Amino acid sequence: MSLVLLDWMEDGYAVITLNRPEKLNAINHQMVQELDEALDLVRKEDHVKFLTVTGNGDKAFCAGGDLNEFHGNLEEDEAYDLLAPMKNVLYKLATLPIPTIALLNGQARGGGCEIATACDFRYALKGTSFGFIQGKLGIAPGWGGGTLLYEKVDKQAAAHWLMTATMYSTDQALRIGWLHKVYSDKEWTMETLLQPFLHNSQEQMTWFKKQYLNSLKLDELSVRMEEETISCSKLWESEAHKEAVQKFMLSRKN
Ligand SMILES: C[C@@H](C(=O)O)C(=O)SCCNC(=O)CCNC(=O)[C@H](O)C(C)(C)COP(=O)(O)OP(=O)(O)OC[C@H]1O[C@@H](n2cnc3c(N)ncnc32)[C@H](O)[C@@H]1OP(=O)(O)O
């Protein structure tokens, strides 16, 4: 079964769905690979106006890296080998030539927030919550999402969120500008969410995105994302990280 779904919509946009709801869409190796392939397919299509990224199920957009695979007992170089492919996926997502919108149907934690941050815009369902909680696990974001956060919100707000590693409500996330819109259950239909984008032509959308990408220094961005992955790999070996992951794994067995 595919853990990442790619759908082409008649209205001219594509949808990537993280499809592992029973594990709150936690990202494993297979999903990294499938996300990479899906993004390559979207990039090749020249009639698609924009991409949305969402999660299957009603609990989570994504609970981060799968802690069974992204586990605590990895050496620094093993951690790097595991983190780097997803960092490359996030760079691809962040630099896709068409706009991208994360539709946050449920909570996002850790790497889940990184995926959302790699998108250009974030719309959320009311009542959901979000956290770059990596700091509480003895690490820091490792997929480049911390670097991307500095590009998406005020720098102090980014540093504060990363360092405090707390969960934010939709109101808090709106206040710092990470979320762009919040919708009630009733309003959560593709017609309502995506209407403002649909009237644009594909040519307009690619130009808008090009202009936005021109405002980012992409070479520098890629170097900073790589630096993030290297730093996270180093932190991976810390006792605090081992203990935090073990605590989660033990809590699952009871
Ligand atoms: C890689 C790194 C990075 O940023 O670079 C990261 O992402 S660090 C961030 C990694 N993510 C996290 O630390 C979040 C870990 N998850 C949680 O703390 C919790 O699951 C919550 C998200 C608070 C949800 O709790 P709640 O009690 O509602 O549900 P639950 O814990 O029973 O989760 C439902 C099922 O999803 C699984 N599940 C949830 N999150 C998972 C994860 N990250 N890795 C592997 N499995 C996970 C649970 O084991 C369980 O499966 P079973 O019923 O089969 O046991």
Side-chain angles (χ1 to χ4, degrees), residues 211-228:
Q211 192 171 39
Y212 172 57
L213 288 177
N214 285 345
S215 78
L216 306 173
K217 294 185 180 112
L218 294 185
D219 288 351
E220 208 183 274
L221 181 71
S222 138
V223 171
R224 285 192 287 131
M225 287 174 75
E226 172 68 8
E227 191 183 5
E228 174 175 323

Side-chain angles (χ1 to χ4, degrees), residues 166-205:
T166 46
M167 293 298 289
Y168 281 9
S169 65
T170 47
D171 281 351
Q172 285 170 298
L174 260 179
R175 217 175 298 134
I176 64 163
W178 187 73
L179 284 179
H180 297 89
K181 285 189 175 174
V182 175
Y183 292 95
S184 68
D185 250 334
K186 257 196 194 151
E187 297 165 320
W188 194 258
T189 65
M190 291 312 115
E191 295 78 60
T192 315
L193 267 57
L194 304 175
Q195 199 52 49
F197 284 92
L198 288 169
H199 72 268
N200 288 325
S201 68
Q202 201 271 343
E203 290 75 15
Q204 283 174 296
M205 290 303 242

Side-chain angles (χ1 to χ4, degrees), residues 20-24 26-27 59 63-68 70 83 107 109-112 114 133-134 137 139-143 232 236 248-249 252:
R20 207 183 169 212
E22 71 289 357
K23 296 288 179 190
L24 307 186
I27 303 292
K59 274 186 85 178
D66 184 319
L67 293 173
N68 293 292
F70 288 82
L83 295 167
Q107 66 174 298
R109 283 179 191 242
E114 296 190 58
I133 47 87
Q134 290 92 335
L137 299 176
I139 53 170
W143 293 343
C232 182
W236 209 270
F248 174 76
M249 299 314 295
R252 298 305 95 182

Side-chain angles (χ1 to χ4, degrees), residues 90 94 114 117-118 144-152 221 225 228:
L90 287 209
E114 296 190 58
T117 306
T147 302
L148 290 166
L149 185 63
Y150 278 93
E151 296 293 332
K152 306 293 166 101
L221 181 71
M225 287 174 75
E228 174 175 323

Side-chain angles (χ1 to χ4, degrees), residues 229-248:
T229 303
I230 292 170
S231 299
C232 182
S233 310
K234 290 199 170 94
L235 289 168
W236 209 270
E237 289 188 334
S238 70
E239 275 313 307
H241 182 235
K242 287 191 199 339
E243 277 167 28
V245 175
Q246 200 178 18
K247 195 167 156 203
F248 174 76

